[in-house]
Amino acid sequence: VERDDLSIAYYNLGNRYRELADWGRAIECYRRVIEARPNFVSAYNNLALVYEASGSDDVMARLTWERVRVCKRDGCGQEIDK
């Protein structure tokens, strides 16, 4: 993991924002994680949960769940290292 890679910190921050129902900030954090680690399936999973909980974007929730399904099927795994 590169020193400048803050994806795990953003993942944890996204989790906290999700617990607080701060949907916008949670979405932003999970998107940053996915940008840095496109195979980090837990970030997709949590992003889909946030989209569903916020009720703001059913299309994005469905697309994100589809990414989770594909990752699980194809073995994307948790990708901790780049």
Side-chain angles (χ1 to χ4, degrees):
V1 175
E2 294 179 21
R3 184 170 185 205
D4 292 336
D5 181 359
L6 299 175
S7 58
I8 299 304
Y10 279 111
Y11 177 75
N12 291 330
L13 187 57
N15 289 340
R16 184 64 181 134
Y17 283 135
R18 185 167 57 98
E19 291 171 0
L20 296 171
D22 190 338
W23 310 128
R25 287 187 174 143
I27 289 168
E28 180 181 335
C29 288
Y30 293 132
R31 284 183 175 169
R32 285 182 164 211
V33 174
I34 291 165
E35 182 178 317
R37 298 172 185 268
N39 292 326
F40 193 5
V41 70
S42 289
Y44 286 100
N45 184 79
N46 291 358
L47 180 59
L49 290 171
V50 168
Y51 281 132
E52 284 187 345
S54 70
S56 64
D57 200 332
D58 291 336
V59 172
M60 286 304 298
R62 284 195 309 272
L63 290 173
T64 307
W65 281 124
E66 177 62 17
R67 176 67 175 151
V68 170
R69 189 187 68 72
V70 168
C71 272
K72 287 181 178 181
R73 181 194 70 207
D74 294 346
C76 294
Q78 290 293 345
E79 189 188 283
I80 298 302
D81 296 318
K82 283 189 171 182

